[in-house]
Amino acid sequence: MGEPRGFMKYERKVSGYAPVADRLKHYNEFLTILSPEEVKTQGARCMDCGVPFCHTGCPLGNIIPDFNDLVYRQQWHEASQRLHATNNFPEFTGRVCPAPCEAACVLGINEDPVAIKQIEMTIADKAWDEGWVVPEAPLVRTGKRIAVVGSGPAGLACAQQLNRAGHLVTLFERADRPGGLLMYGIPDFKLEKWRVWRRIEQMREEGVEFRCGVNVGVDVGAGQLVAEYDAVVLTGGATLGRDLPIPGRELAGVHYAMEFLPQQNKKNAGDEVPGQILAAGKDVIVIGGGDTGSDCTGTSNRHGCKSLTQFELLPQPPDLGKYPRRHERPANTPWPAWPVIMRTSSSHEEGCRREFGILTKEFLGDAEGRLRAVKTVRIEWYTDAASGQQKFRELAGTEQEWPCQLALLAMGFVGQRQGGRRLHDESGGRIRRGRHAPRSVARGVGDPRRAGVRPVGRSVADGADEPAERRGGRVRGACVVIGCGRLECTSPGVRSKKPRVETRGLRVRQPYCRPCRMTAGDCPVQTHGAWHLGRHATRSPPASARGFLWAAQEAPGGNPGIPGMKTSPPCMPDDGTRRKPPGLRMRVVEPEGG
């Protein structure tokens, strides 16, 4: 690391917030941004910890120690490349991610963890300010058409990676604007929507087609998708909120959180919202203590509600501060797990009464069918001796009525609409998950780069959905994503430099193509193989090569080609007909051990 004792010299510092009285007047972000020098100091706090457990905490596998060190050395462009190698949209995650990487930080064992989220946000913002984030349209197209259903963060990332791999991607979205939860759900004061639009415009320039206002399964049938596209990726997310089926649920004034929040997003975007659900002048109760409930409290306060209360069924967790030490953590969530502790968001700080261990029993209405109160009872949790499960029982004499004219259900999400993972249309047809994509539907929401892109790429490359007689002679070998196989050059006109790199136990040979005279920074073979020779090896390729699919294709006449590259060396034909120097041959070698 740049400063081995930096974690001993510097204290943690992150962006602050504007005063509550000021930020309640608008729906814009209210962070006070740190200067580059202050962020550099935070990068110096990253330890030479040997085993960076922050990798285990990050769902994307961000190369955190590397970009921390690059920020300390003021190599901002390299830090942006390292960050984008694993994260398509760091300006989003740097603002709305709860930062489980910080909970897993080794320094967090006995000190405040490294300000990873702050550093990530600053890198992303600087990359945009400096003009380093530009459209990356592929130079070679595979001709394969792929439909991505759902334009939330998973769908956007999946579509961008598949497009950069050279496929023709169409993104379907049933709302009037793309972005999914990023556009409709997350309040503007947490993520301003011009940041989302900026990414969408980048993807459009790269060649992704957006079709908004199309409800797949209703407006477009499942059979039509299967017939028109070579592959279909379902990234619809979990949009079905958990209901509360108790007496009075039908009363006017009881709404899902995702009925309430998107309306304000539309209003902020300049749309007319007839019959908008407003909290102004009302006693508001938010049922559910998670992030969605917190977003409801922040929006209700900006509406000007009369009172605001948030209910949580679970008991109050221990209040150990923002960064409890390892010996202070609850026994059931030890370091480096995500700790179950009392968390207070910026919306809670703006004014909210929080009640724990409370069960909603009934919604009470007036003569006109409008909500007037909520009836509750206190509960206590216990461990069942027979099953060992956690259960609760009501406490006698704790019944209570709470004045309420607006109740918002924010109790989490239970899955997808329209039949879950199977997409039905009016005729009863459905899209079946293919041989290569059993995980792409299940995991696509969590990590579209590894869960959705690679299975689809393999399926498209080897014609998994085609009959055997049509696949014969079409593609030889397997489609290789870097880190999953070994690309070896067998041409007598090609020599190797640094012949082997270990990436998760798989070797990648790095040929230098003498005929095309590509340098290490330009030749995609060299770029793929030579990336990141430092000590913190990871499973993901660099920004210049991320997500690109490699396949050895046997075209008629025996000429090899490599479709799907970001750049194609002049000597390597992509269609089997372009020029090639005599004797140049490329072949794919299967990974050792299968």
Side-chain angles (χ1 to χ4, degrees):
M1 307 309 294
E3 191 166 349
R5 296 181 180 271
F7 67 95
M8 303 174 65
K9 294 172 56 177
Y10 308 116
E11 298 293 329
R12 176 186 169 97
K13 185 177 181 180
V14 297
S15 297
Y17 299 138
V20 172
D22 294 338
R23 67 196 200 216
L24 286 180
K25 298 176 182 178
H26 59 78
Y27 289 90
N28 301 324
E29 295 177 8
F30 47 81
L31 295 174
T32 57
I33 305 301
L34 299 184
S35 68
E37 283 298 320
E38 290 174 311
V39 178
K40 171 187 174 181
T41 301
Q42 295 306 305
R45 297 186 71 239
C46 188
M47 303 168 59
D48 190 5
C49 55
V51 180
F53 278 85
C54 53
H55 286 186
T56 69
C58 178
L60 297 177
N62 285 344
I63 318 170
I64 295 167
D66 282 28
F67 66 66
N68 284 344
D69 184 54
L70 290 169
V71 166
Y72 170 75
R73 299 176 187 277
Q74 298 290 277
Q75 298 176 11
W76 290 94
H77 185 260
E78 291 78 3
S80 173
Q81 290 182 319
R82 198 60 50 86
L83 179 56
H84 280 88
T86 54
N87 189 344
N88 289 72
F89 314 122
E91 68 272 25
F92 302 161
T93 57
R95 285 170 167 80
V96 301
C97 177
C101 55
E102 295 185 2
C105 177
V106 173
L107 183 57
I109 292 176
N110 54 7
E111 295 289 343
D112 287 349
V114 178
I116 301 170
K117 181 177 177 179
Q118 174 67 59
I119 295 172
E120 178 181 337
M121 181 181 70
T122 306
I123 294 173
D125 290 348
K126 189 172 183 64
W128 280 103
D129 293 342
E130 297 293 336
W132 298 332
V133 182
V134 295
E136 299 181 24
L139 298 183
V140 179
R141 288 289 184 181
T142 65
K144 299 300 180 182
R145 303 184 65 210
I146 298 176
V148 179
V149 182
S151 70
L156 290 175
C158 187
Q160 187 174 61
Q161 293 303 106
L162 289 169
N163 179 76
R164 290 178 177 179
H167 306 306
L168 301 172
V169 181
T170 302
L171 197 57
F172 292 88
E173 170 58 49
R174 63 184 172 192
D176 58 345
R177 295 182 176 93
L181 191 68
L182 298 171
M183 186 67 68
Y184 293 137
I186 298 176
D188 294 59
F189 55 80
K190 291 178 65 176
L191 179 65
E192 294 181 356
K193 305 313 171 188
W194 62 268
R195 302 186 190 277
V196 183
W197 279 115
R198 182 173 59 182
R199 278 292 184 181
I200 292 171
E201 290 304 318
Q202 178 202 28
M203 293 177 62
R204 280 178 173 154
E205 293 183 28
E206 291 176 348
V208 177
E209 178 186 355
F210 289 85
R211 293 184 60 183
C212 296
V214 179
N215 191 351
V216 175
V218 178
D219 302 321
V220 176
Q224 181 180 348
L225 282 186
V226 174
E228 294 182 1
Y229 293 89
D230 296 281
V232 178
V233 186
L234 305 182
T235 57
T239 57
L240 185 60
R242 180 175 283 108
D243 201 359
L244 187 60
I246 59 175
R249 172 63 179 88
E250 74 286 351
L251 292 172
V254 182
H255 301 278
Y256 286 113
M258 289 303 293
E259 296 173 348
F260 174 68
L261 294 173
Q263 290 186 355
Q264 187 59 52
N265 295 133
K266 289 176 176 287
K267 187 72 174 181
N268 294 340
D271 294 352
E272 293 292 333
V273 185
Q276 181 183 0
I277 303 169
L278 295 173
K282 298 178 181 178
D283 298 298
V284 180
I285 292 180
V286 179
I287 304 175
D291 289 339
T292 306
S294 173
D295 294 342
C296 289
T297 63
T299 304
S300 297
N301 274 322
R302 283 163 176 75
H303 282 184
C305 61
K306 180 180 178 181
S307 68
L308 182 57
T309 308
Q310 188 173 13
F311 290 167
E312 173 55 61
L313 185 71
L314 297 174
Q316 181 172 340
D319 191 357
L320 304 176
K322 292 184 178 180
Y323 315 110
R325 308 301 185 246
R326 180 171 63 177
H327 67 277
E328 299 173 337
R329 290 191 176 211
N332 59 337
T333 53
W335 180 90
W338 179 253
V340 178
I341 58 176
M342 184 72 168
R343 302 180 188 276
T344 301
S345 69
S346 60
S347 295
H348 292 142
E349 294 173 351
E350 294 166 358
C352 175
R353 179 178 177 179
R354 304 172 71 182
E355 297 288 340
F356 294 87
I358 190 168
L359 176 66
T360 305
K361 297 287 290 184
E362 185 179 359
F363 296 114
L364 305 177
D366 58 18
E368 298 179 358
R370 295 176 299 189
L371 179 67
R372 65 171 182 83
V374 173
K375 184 178 181 181
T376 64
V377 63
R378 300 286 176 171
I379 61 174
E380 69 172 358
W381 289 84
Y382 68 97
T383 302
D384 184 68
S387 63
Q389 295 180 338
Q390 287 289 310
K391 298 183 178 181
F392 66 83
R393 51 179 166 246
E394 299 179 9
L395 298 178
T398 61
E399 294 81 4
Q400 187 176 356
E401 285 190 14
W402 302 76
C404 177
Q405 295 85 48
L406 177 62
L408 301 173
L409 308 182
M411 302 175 294
F413 301 90
V414 296
Q416 300 170 325
R417 300 181 188 274
Q418 298 184 3
R421 294 179 186 171
R422 292 177 177 173
L423 185 63
H424 295 261
D425 63 8
E426 294 177 352
S427 63
R430 70 186 184 194
I431 297 176
R432 295 190 306 165
R433 296 181 289 174
R435 176 170 67 89
H436 280 293
R439 301 287 183 186
S440 64
V441 178
R443 294 176 54 203
V445 174
D447 189 354
R449 297 176 70 103
R450 288 191 287 272
V453 175
R454 295 185 180 180
V456 170
R458 289 193 294 269
S459 179
V460 168
D462 68 6
D465 294 327
E466 298 183 14
E469 60 271 19
R470 293 182 59 187
R471 295 203 304 267
R474 179 173 177 269
V475 173
R476 302 278 179 89
C479 183
V480 177
V481 182
I482 215 64
C484 297
R486 187 168 80 250
L487 181 66
E488 183 176 299
C489 183
T490 61
S491 170
V494 176
R495 59 184 174 87
S496 281
K497 297 171 64 177
K498 297 178 183 176
R500 188 173 292 176
V501 174
E502 296 292 334
T503 56
R504 293 178 63 84
L506 302 174
R507 294 196 294 269
V508 181
R509 294 184 64 85
Q510 305 167 43
Y512 171 80
C513 187
R514 184 179 293 170
C516 74
R517 298 180 181 179
M518 285 279 181
T519 64
D522 296 327
C523 180
V525 175
Q526 188 75 358
T527 301
H528 270 288
W531 79 277
H532 192 35
L533 299 177
R535 60 184 305 167
H536 299 292
T538 182
R539 57 182 174 269
S540 300
S544 58
R546 59 186 183 276
F548 300 117
L549 308 179
W550 290 61
Q553 183 176 7
E554 190 74 21
N559 289 338
I562 303 181
M565 289 184 179
K566 179 187 177 186
T567 57
S568 180
C571 63
M572 297 181 187
D574 58 291
D575 57 2
T577 60
R578 292 170 57 186
R579 69 187 186 280
K580 74 179 183 72
L584 181 64
R585 300 186 301 275
M586 299 293 291
R587 65 186 176 89
V588 172
V589 181
E590 293 290 344
E592 293 181 355

